[in-house]
Amino acid sequence: MFALPKRWDIFCAVIDNFGDIGICWRLSRQLVNEHNIGVRLWVDDLVSFSKICPQIDITADEQQHAGVLIQRWARTTNWQQCTVADVVIEALACTVPAAYQQKMAQQQVKPLWLNLEYLSAEAWVEGCHALPSPQPQLALDKHFFFPGFTAATGGLLQERSIQQQAELFMADAAAQRAFWQQLAVPEYAEYQQKISLFAYDHPQIESLLSCWQQAPVNTLCLVPQGVLADQLAGLYPQLVQRAELKLHNLTLKLVPFLAQDDYDKLLWACDFNFVRGEDSVIRAHWAAKPFIWQIYRQTGQAHLDKLQAFMQRYCAQMPQDAAQALTSFWLAWNTDNDLADSWQKFSAMLPKIADYNQQWRAALTANGDLASNLVHFVEKKFIMRRNFS
């Protein structure tokens, strides 16, 4: 009887601290929990992993959490003693070790080899999604799988129940109170505006903070541990001592780096969210609150082309005044420009953007989720093999 593949290996090389492992950990858990897949996750940086999953033992070569087998990926790994999975994913520009590739080629039933690419809204992605890349030295094909924002891509990571979880959390005053107490903000109800600020550093950050200090509403800004928190600590040494600082109508509060499930709650609990990189921006889509994306910086300003491609797709159906204000502020946030003027225009559009994000989220959900699309692609390929064997 023909059996669909149930053993998957995912290789993750941690490059940008949390984005790579964040994507791979969410994907691994979803494959196990929703698709009954046996996942072995190879990770080369358990310290970064432990920041988003505190249960991780950074000294263990092998451990299991949330149904996922986690293996340390090290130079000393003995690949000759390692079994080969039915499906092998090299995630986000990492490379499967050569010795493991050789073992893949030696299998009587060859594994399906997938390269899970970085997220992009650029038009060329649709034409490259799911294409095979022959590897003649191994007699294997490697297929490129692109996350994306249309039905012609692999979609975005989204658990089946995440939107329902958000709705339940926002309707549960006790759950919200417990979350804010966890963050040591028992007076959360006193703030008329709550902001999460997860970002890389920015040379003009003081111009934005000045806007919030002078705003007519009492504002709380929560800054998770990271490079921007370090920059703010340099600007305001007293922030280091108390992890909290009041500047007129603005209260800055540093918070520890949050586990993934708690970070989702932070996005739900705030009125708008600054996010960076890939994992957090995807979660901002499902929160459906207004968000500001700081894309991963690349040399030669190449990241701005990717940002423009996303803004063009994201804003296509957005009211024109809101789209113009959003584009202006996002470009300032992703360059070294002053933020004050563009922030004032953007903030005036926040209610319109919040309404639009409900429509945007529904459109993305209709594309299917990345994990399910991966499973369907793999099953289709194995069925085709069976039919032509």
Side-chain angles (χ1 to χ4, degrees):
M1 182 178 179
F2 177 75
L4 292 171
K6 288 295 184 181
R7 297 180 302 116
W8 293 35
D9 272 357
I10 299 177
F11 287 83
C12 176
V14 180
I15 298 171
D16 181 32
N17 293 326
F18 309 112
D20 306 280
I21 185 56
I23 293 291
C24 291
W25 182 228
R26 290 190 194 277
L27 174 61
S28 297
R29 288 188 297 167
Q30 190 176 356
L31 288 170
V32 169
N33 296 334
E34 298 182 10
H35 298 280
N36 196 30
I37 301 292
V39 176
R40 179 170 53 180
L41 176 60
W42 293 91
V43 184
D44 68 349
D45 181 356
L46 295 179
V47 174
S48 291
F49 193 178
S50 68
K51 297 292 185 179
I52 62 170
C53 180
Q55 297 82 10
I56 292 295
D57 180 353
I58 63 173
T59 67
D61 291 331
E62 179 179 305
Q63 55 195 301
Q64 191 155 0
H65 295 287
V68 178
L69 178 62
I70 299 162
Q71 296 271 174
R72 184 193 302 275
W73 177 5
R75 292 183 180 179
T76 57
T77 302
N78 188 339
W79 299 106
Q80 294 304 317
Q81 295 183 357
C82 178
T83 58
V84 173
D86 302 314
V87 179
V88 179
I89 295 178
E90 52 184 20
L92 309 174
C94 78
T95 301
V96 172
Y100 187 97
Q101 293 183 29
Q102 293 294 335
K103 290 204 70 175
M104 290 165 59
Q106 294 165 6
Q107 303 304 303
Q108 182 176 0
V109 178
K110 301 294 189 289
L112 185 62
W113 186 4
L114 302 174
N115 186 322
L116 180 62
E117 289 284 349
Y118 284 108
L119 177 64
S120 177
E122 294 170 291
W124 63 266
V125 165
E126 295 182 337
C128 296
H129 174 61
L131 288 182
S133 174
Q135 309 291 304
Q137 74 280 12
L138 295 170
L140 290 172
D141 285 345
K142 176 164 59 175
H143 289 81
F144 292 93
F145 206 89
F146 284 85
F149 302 94
T150 73
T153 68
L156 302 175
L157 276 173
Q158 180 181 194
E159 302 88 345
R160 289 174 185 164
S161 64
I162 190 64
Q163 294 186 34
Q164 182 183 19
Q165 290 177 38
E167 291 170 2
L168 290 173
F169 177 82
M170 294 310 299
D172 189 338
Q176 293 178 57
R177 182 166 56 252
F179 175 70
W180 286 113
Q181 289 175 345
Q182 175 186 335
L183 296 182
V185 189
E187 73 285 4
Y188 67 97
E190 299 175 8
Y191 295 101
Q192 299 158 283
Q193 183 171 258
K194 304 179 188 68
I195 306 166
S196 75
L197 183 56
F198 181 45
Y200 308 109
D201 55 354
H202 196 291
Q204 302 293 337
I205 188 64
E206 288 180 279
S207 67
L208 182 60
L209 298 182
S210 178
C211 291
W212 296 343
Q213 292 175 49
Q214 299 167 25
V217 294
N218 196 16
T219 299
L220 172 68
C221 177
L222 298 115
V223 186
Q225 174 188 357
V227 289
L228 183 64
D230 294 341
Q231 181 187 8
L232 294 180
L235 291 172
Y236 306 106
Q238 59 270 49
L239 187 59
V240 180
Q241 303 167 3
R242 303 194 298 270
E244 185 171 314
L245 177 64
K246 187 168 180 58
L247 301 166
H248 302 290
N249 281 348
L250 169 66
T251 299
L252 287 174
K253 183 170 182 61
L254 304 182
V255 296
F257 205 90
L258 299 174
Q260 285 186 324
D261 292 345
D262 287 332
Y263 182 69
D264 283 334
K265 292 177 182 176
L266 179 66
L267 297 179
W268 302 338
C270 288
D271 298 298
F272 53 92
N273 300 295
F274 287 74
V275 292
R276 72 176 215 198
E278 184 166 329
D279 182 52
S280 60
V281 73
I282 294 172
R283 307 315 286 186
H285 288 304
W286 309 137
K289 301 291 184 71
F291 65 93
I292 299 92
W293 186 23
Q294 193 176 33
I295 196 168
Y296 185 76
R297 301 167 184 166
Q298 294 178 296
T299 56
Q301 302 292 309
H303 60 289
L304 295 182
D305 292 336
K306 296 182 178 181
L307 181 68
Q308 290 280 13
F310 174 74
M311 290 192 299
Q312 183 176 4
R313 196 175 294 280
Y314 172 44
C315 297
Q317 303 299 321
M318 187 181 290
Q320 187 175 6
D321 54 352
Q324 290 175 343
L326 182 144
T327 299
S328 177
F329 182 71
W330 279 35
L331 285 175
W333 186 239
N334 282 276
T335 56
D336 294 341
N337 293 342
D338 182 84
L339 301 168
D341 182 60
S342 59
W343 169 257
Q344 299 295 351
K345 295 174 182 176
F346 174 72
S347 61
M349 294 292 119
L350 288 174
K352 281 189 178 182
I353 294 171
D355 289 341
Y356 174 77
N357 279 355
Q358 299 292 325
Q359 171 188 336
W360 172 248
R361 180 174 66 177
L364 294 178
T365 300
N367 296 330
D369 69 273
L370 180 68
S372 297
N373 290 339
L374 268 169
V375 170
H376 296 155
F377 177 78
V378 167
E379 290 179 347
K380 179 180 177 181
K381 289 298 179 183
F382 272 82
I383 290 171
M384 289 174 62
R385 286 184 184 181
R386 178 194 63 181
N387 292 341
F388 285 97
S389 62

